[in-house]
Amino acid sequence: MSVDIYWRIAMEGDAPALRLGDITRGGFGPYLPGALGPGLRGGAPDGYGPVDYMGEVARATERSGFVGGLMPSFPETDDPWAAAAALAGETTAYRFMIAFQPGFLHPVQAARMSASLQAATGGRVVYNIISGGGGPQQLWWGDKVAHDDRYARTSEFLDVLKGVWDGPFDHEGRFYRVEGAALPPELRGQPFPEIFFSGSSPAAIAAAGRHADYYLSWLEPFDALAAKFALVREHSDTPPKFAVRVDVLARETEEEAWEEVRAGWARLGDAQRTPDASESVGWQRGRAFTAGAGDDFRDLEVQPNVWGGFNRLRPGPLFGLVGDYHQVAARLDELIDLGVDAFILAGVPHLEEAQRVGRHVLPLLKGKIA
């Protein structure tokens, strides 16, 4: 089998280390002396912006053996569609996994944007479809559609987008209506982007069963992950492949890796060690797996090298892998044996950690890397 391994592009900015919290590179962080970007030179901004840092990460990860990069989308980031277009010329075969919520685009416009990027990049666009979330960020976009209805909207969105791709296409549904919608002749015939579909709720799993090429989950304890995959298969006429988003903290020795976690944990106050709740079902599942954990950071290790406290040290998923290079590679191999066909790995800082993982972890994997 072949396994595609992506790396996450830090569009929101990066801290210089996981143990340190302040963003000093990329993103829209403050102008600070010595920052990798944005920075100050002679007391004035040095002209190094967020896309410059993303370009460094994209080039480094392509050289390090990753097939592409996940480009997340938050209110505090550049737009991933525009950023992917800007970065396409920085790489040669690198795929751009664009995260977006279908409700914020019309499917006809999404088809045209996607086909344009496919034509410009030689077919290097991949979708990361997100429908869940909720809370203040959802309202930031002006979206008040309820959780399960968002998945119904996503499913209809993808029906229309696929129809337009092969159009002309007519559709009258709950959320969208189109008549004779089609791509311009010059954009027809492009490969349709692979779909990585995220979500842990029953509504998400049902929608993934219809549309996903890859069902994408955050890392969880391995037995829970296997049960989730089985549930997706039950809801799929044609079961998708499976992908997992994994933070990685790998060092030459296990002690060095855990020391990085300990140092990060030590800088947190008591309130930061109990993060705010989220409507995300994936987040709620993760919290349930660590319920009852004590105050020691090692109490969040739910099985060997699987640590559920990453969300305390940086925003995002709870679980990741901590250990020496061989241990981390062994856990990734276990996930491959579990049925994982693709990974989205991440680390802080994204630039140096991608190089470290590419140099020391990927060569140890028994699973064949595409």
Side-chain angles (χ1 to χ4, degrees):
M1 67 174 294
S2 63
V3 177
D4 285 345
I5 303 185
Y6 292 80
W7 186 258
R8 183 182 186 276
I9 305 293
M11 295 184 64
E12 74 281 17
D14 236 345
L18 187 66
R19 65 181 180 273
L20 304 173
D22 293 332
I23 291 175
T24 61
R25 53 171 72 177
F28 298 101
Y31 289 97
L32 298 172
L36 187 54
L40 294 175
R41 179 176 298 167
D46 62 6
Y48 184 100
V51 174
D52 296 298
Y53 183 66
M54 285 186 261
E56 288 202 46
V57 176
R59 291 190 298 271
T61 50
E62 184 171 45
R63 290 194 300 267
S64 298
F66 297 90
V67 301
L70 167 65
M71 309 198 70
S73 178
F74 303 108
E76 65 272 15
T77 68
D78 277 310
D79 176 76
W81 294 92
L87 295 175
E90 301 285 329
T91 58
T92 55
Y94 198 74
R95 305 175 201 165
F96 295 95
M97 185 185 294
I98 298 173
F100 70 100
Q101 295 217 27
F104 311 149
L105 279 173
H106 193 280
V108 177
Q109 175 66 0
R112 186 173 68 160
M113 290 166 57
S114 302
S116 298
L117 267 177
Q118 288 292 65
T121 64
R124 292 193 275 149
V125 176
V126 180
Y127 288 156
N128 175 22
I129 301 293
I130 304 167
S131 304
Q137 280 202 351
Q138 201 75 22
L139 295 175
W140 184 90
W141 297 98
D143 187 34
K144 297 182 179 181
V145 175
H147 179 278
D148 287 4
D149 288 340
R150 292 202 294 272
Y151 283 99
R153 179 179 62 187
T154 290
S155 193
E156 187 178 334
F157 174 99
L158 290 171
D159 285 338
V160 175
L161 199 161
K162 292 174 181 176
V164 172
W165 200 270
D166 298 321
F169 181 69
D170 296 333
H171 174 84
E172 185 164 356
R174 179 181 171 191
F175 297 97
Y176 303 105
R177 177 181 177 181
V178 298
E179 296 181 6
L183 294 171
E186 293 78 10
L187 294 180
R188 294 176 191 169
Q190 297 296 326
F192 191 83
E194 286 187 318
I195 296 175
F196 282 66
F197 199 105
S198 306
S200 296
S201 68
I205 288 172
R210 285 194 59 206
H211 294 287
D213 295 303
Y214 288 84
Y215 174 75
L216 173 62
S217 174
W218 286 354
L219 181 65
E220 295 180 351
F222 291 6
D223 55 350
L225 206 55
K228 186 192 285 188
F229 292 169
L231 194 59
V232 172
R233 291 188 187 100
E234 289 176 15
H235 286 80
S236 308
D237 293 333
T238 303
K241 297 178 181 180
F242 294 96
V244 179
R245 160 83 168 81
V246 186
D247 270 71
V248 171
L249 203 173
R251 293 293 184 268
E252 187 171 348
T253 68
E254 184 179 12
E255 291 73 20
E256 287 179 80
W258 284 112
E259 174 57 25
E260 183 76 10
V261 173
R262 186 208 63 75
W265 194 259
R267 72 170 166 81
L268 301 178
D270 291 338
Q272 293 171 298
R273 292 175 181 172
T274 307
D276 295 335
S278 168
E279 291 182 25
S280 163
V281 174
W283 188 95
Q284 293 170 3
R285 282 173 60 95
R287 284 288 290 159
F289 296 130
T290 58
D295 294 332
D296 189 274
F297 66 90
R298 289 301 292 261
D299 294 337
L300 296 171
E301 187 181 14
V302 297
Q303 65 187 82
N305 310 111
V306 180
W307 189 62
F310 275 91
N311 64 317
R312 323 293 176 95
L313 303 182
R314 54 95 190 100
L318 288 77
F319 285 98
L321 300 177
V322 180
D324 67 38
Y325 301 137
H326 289 272
Q327 289 171 327
V328 169
R331 299 294 87 75
L332 292 173
D333 275 329
E334 288 176 27
L335 289 167
I336 292 171
D337 292 340
L338 203 68
V340 174
D341 302 286
F343 292 103
I344 302 171
L345 305 184
V348 177
H350 287 68
L351 179 60
E352 290 88 343
E353 291 301 317
Q355 294 167 326
R356 184 193 303 273
V357 171
R359 185 180 305 118
H360 297 294
V361 177
L362 298 191
L364 299 175
L365 291 179
K366 297 175 185 176
K368 181 183 176 184
I369 301 172

